[in-house]
Amino acid sequence: MSYKEQYAEASNNPTAFWKAQADKIKWIKKPNTILSTNSDGNYQWFEDGELNTSYLALDYHIEQGNGDNTALIYDSPVTQTKATFTYNELKTEVAKFAHVLQSKNVSKGDRVLIYMPMIPQAAIAMLACARIGAIHSVVFGGFSAHELAIRIDDAQPKVIVSASCGVEIQKVIPYKPMIDQAITLASYKPSSCIIYQRDIVKASLQEGRDFDWLKLCSSAEEAQPVPVNATDPLYILYTSGTTGKPKGVVRDNGSHAVAMNYSMSAIYGINKGEVFWAASDVGWVVGHSYIVYAPLIAGCTTVLFEGKPVHTPDAGTFWRVCAEYNVKALFSAPTAFRAICKEDPEATLIKKYDLSNLERLYLAGERLDPATYQWLKDKTDLPVIDHWWQTETGWAIASIPYGIEQMETKAGSAGLATPGYNIKVLDSSGNEVEKGEEGNIAIKLPLPPGCLATIWQNDARFKEGYLNTFSGYYVTGDGGFIDEDDYLFIMGRTDDIINVAGHRMSTGEMEEVISDHYSVAECAVIGGHCPIKGQTPSALVVMKNNIELEPDELIKELKLSIREKIGAIASLKEVHIVDRLPKTRSGKILRKTIRQIVDGQSYQIPSTIDDPVVLDELQKLLGAA
Ligand code: COA
Ligand code: AMP
């Protein structure tokens, strides 16, 4: 079927389309009901199906005679380590760790929080949870103890799985003190912590609560896959919303497995036995979907890379990994390639490597700016495919579905709607706009398999945040337009979320942290343009009257508190102390205008502004800054 035919079939007859996709995976009990609604009134897929995601990712391939194929390659330039795991080996590790979790009383439906660096044990822990029907919640290593504590309280994990440290280029980051602090901060107390001790730093373990991963595994048996319902949650992944409380996106087992399997062939065109590399982190949705689940469910080889695009040791490291492991498709974020381009603008390091197996590049996480698109295209001579998705959807909403049809890419566009996603651009009243006109991007319900089922323990927030804005639609929070050829252009968020080095951050959450400071009357955090990271957060702060604190001291304290409360990845670039903030007459802060001033762009004075003089003051201050 052509792309157009697949798209039409998925839109007009979703039940038949997704039944055919569901037939491609091995179920313990095949679903009879393909699409239905649950007791909360939300759509659900394959409600009466039974399966096990870890079985699909591991045992199934072994049963097909592919146990000696390489499942996972670990490449860690920061620790000078390389390792490979066949499907047989990975299954043994996973099954043993699943048994370890069972020995700590973890069973179906229990939560396990995973706070790990990019080591194979992160993927092993995720798959071990899936094996016994436990729900994992992976937290990115760059988040602070405070953020961890918020997630502990929300997910209430029986067990925390972690490692003694992470390695950031030259810097070693001990994880265990962060976990200890998070458990102290949290109201909910997990009963056990299982720590993988790395040679570089050994964590001290608290008797009775903390356990050594390797010691537990040395006496473990192999746990068998536990059947779960298709609609049982596989994982919770927290992502930034517009407030300080992150949202726990819930992904189920059945529809996720079907979507992952479909996407590997339809979008990435990757077959069993081929090597796929998503250069991301297991703490993000890209890591969940395309480092761990999709490549393994599809019987491919996945690469788990512990390093950075630059300085590990140089800007050729991506090309080295692609050449060394015969990577067929590489997926990363535009920020990574901007960092590479800055270090090696002529791409001389590419020439050192044989990239004859590398067929295409995929980018997501933020808009692929036309300059980076062109640079990559020119320097690699490969198709450069921008595709658009969110933690919520778990896989690409728009893409060039290369496995279906090798269509042209367009600079600045995230491609065409992926089969299953009925994308509409709506005005603020919910009416569809003309082609070429910008508006709110929404997806007509039902969402295809693989997308979020709800928000953990908060279905009201799911409905409020995504479904209630435009009746019958999921609202993405992104704005953009569709052109005459049906290509989608994502122009940015319509809410207070920013994207820093491919990491999603909430300016609202940063404002809450800043406002907590005793001397702050009010503040606004905006994402200013950054040539490498896309955006970086800066704050405008109004101090309370009669506070005896030097502005420089306040700036230092605010920068520190953002790092401590959210994490190093959220570091504030600039903090400006101002007399007042530009607002509308109804008291809304004019963030877009502030952003334009910070970025040195021209701006129009909004007709709703309370007092235009504030903008002049701001312009003078930031111009002089
Ligand atoms: N654990 C602990 N700390 C982490 C971390 C982790 N997993 N990841 C990042 N940090 C820390 C860094 O050490 C740094 O700390 P510092 O300010 O004390 O030096 C801070 O967070 C900012 O890190 P980062 O955003 O990675 O910036 P950088 O300047 O070190 O590197 C890039 C810049 C562009 C090379 C890097 O951001 C990058 O590789 N981005 C790609 C991200 C990506 O793939 N996203 C895909 C999501 S789909
Ligand atoms: P996350 O949930 O962290 O994956 O972030 C999702 C958000 O990142 C989206 O809502 C977009 O704002 C942005 N994003 C992701 N991919 C793209 C892309 N290809 N083009 C433009 N924006 C993107």
Side-chain angles (χ1 to χ4, degrees), residues 528-555:
H529 175 73
C530 169
I532 301 295
K533 296 189 176 185
Q535 287 183 301
T536 42
S538 292
L540 298 191
V541 173
V542 180
M543 285 179 81
K544 287 180 187 157
N545 290 337
N546 307 321
I547 294 281
E548 304 249 327
L549 181 65
E550 284 302 316
D552 280 355
E553 194 50 38
L554 172 62
I555 291 171

Side-chain angles (χ1 to χ4, degrees), residues 365-367 386-391 478 490 493 499 504:
E366 55 176 320
R367 180 165 181 262
D386 183 14
H387 61 332
W388 168 61
W389 49 303
Q390 312 181 310
T391 304
D478 281 304
I490 306 294
R493 297 286 307 189
N499 208 305
R504 175 166 156 181

Side-chain angles (χ1 to χ4, degrees), residues 308-311 314-319 330 332-347 349-350 375-376 532:
K308 298 258 176 178
V310 290
H311 307 310
D314 60 25
T317 195
F318 271 24
W319 316 125
L330 163 64
S332 192
T335 188
F337 290 106
R338 287 195 297 266
I340 292 172
C341 170
K342 179 169 177 271
E343 298 283 315
D344 182 21
E346 293 312 316
L349 292 166
I350 291 186
W375 181 83
L376 264 176
I532 301 295

Side-chain angles (χ1 to χ4, degrees), residues 483-561:
D483 76 1
E484 286 303 324
D485 303 321
D486 291 331
Y487 279 66
L488 183 68
F489 289 74
I490 306 294
M491 303 313 288
R493 297 286 307 189
T494 54
D495 54 18
D496 296 335
I497 285 170
I498 59 170
N499 208 305
V500 182
H503 307 326
R504 175 166 156 181
M505 307 267 141
S506 159
T507 54
E509 181 175 14
M510 293 185 207
E511 286 171 7
E512 283 179 29
V513 172
I514 292 172
S515 300
D516 265 356
H517 195 282
Y518 70 92
S519 70
V520 173
E522 62 175 346
C523 68
V525 172
I526 44 108
H529 175 73
C530 169
I532 301 295
K533 296 189 176 185
Q535 287 183 301
T536 42
S538 292
L540 298 191
V541 173
V542 180
M543 285 179 81
K544 287 180 187 157
N545 290 337
N546 307 321
I547 294 281
E548 304 249 327
L549 181 65
E550 284 302 316
D552 280 355
E553 194 50 38
L554 172 62
I555 291 171
K556 234 191 277 165
E557 288 179 19
L558 292 178
K559 286 188 171 180
L560 190 67
S561 65

Side-chain angles (χ1 to χ4, degrees), residues 140-142 168 171 173 279-280 286 308-309 335 501 533 563 568-569:
F140 177 62
E168 281 286 297
K171 201 169 40 178
I173 301 179
S280 178
V286 175
K308 298 258 176 178
T335 188
K533 296 189 176 185
R563 283 178 80 94
I569 47 164

Side-chain angles (χ1 to χ4, degrees), residues 58-175:
L58 301 165
D59 310 55
Y60 173 73
H61 304 300
I62 296 168
E63 284 172 13
Q64 301 294 303
N66 296 319
D68 290 330
N69 285 6
T70 304
L72 186 142
I73 296 168
Y74 168 53
D75 188 293
S76 170
V78 291
T79 59
Q80 321 272 316
T81 316
K82 293 174 185 178
T84 59
F85 294 76
T86 63
Y87 273 92
N88 280 324
E89 289 164 343
L90 193 60
K91 190 215 88 177
T92 303
E93 298 287 330
V94 167
K96 281 191 174 176
F97 194 66
H99 185 256
V100 164
L101 290 173
Q102 285 174 328
S103 74
K104 296 288 164 234
N105 296 320
V106 177
S107 58
K108 192 162 142 180
D110 288 335
R111 275 79 59 210
V112 173
L113 188 143
I114 299 173
Y115 184 66
M116 294 285 253
M118 284 291 286
I119 56 176
Q121 287 68 27
I124 290 168
M126 291 164 76
L127 290 160
C129 290
R131 196 165 190 85
I132 58 173
I135 304 166
H136 61 70
S137 184
V138 183
V139 179
F140 177 62
F143 279 121
S144 65
H146 175 257
E147 287 288 320
L148 251 180
I150 293 174
R151 287 153 176 79
I152 292 172
D153 277 334
D154 198 68
Q156 306 205 328
K158 244 186 198 166
V159 171
I160 294 185
V161 181
S162 189
S164 53
C165 68
V167 185
E168 281 286 297
I169 311 188
Q170 301 293 340
K171 201 169 40 178
V172 175
I173 301 179
Y175 276 24

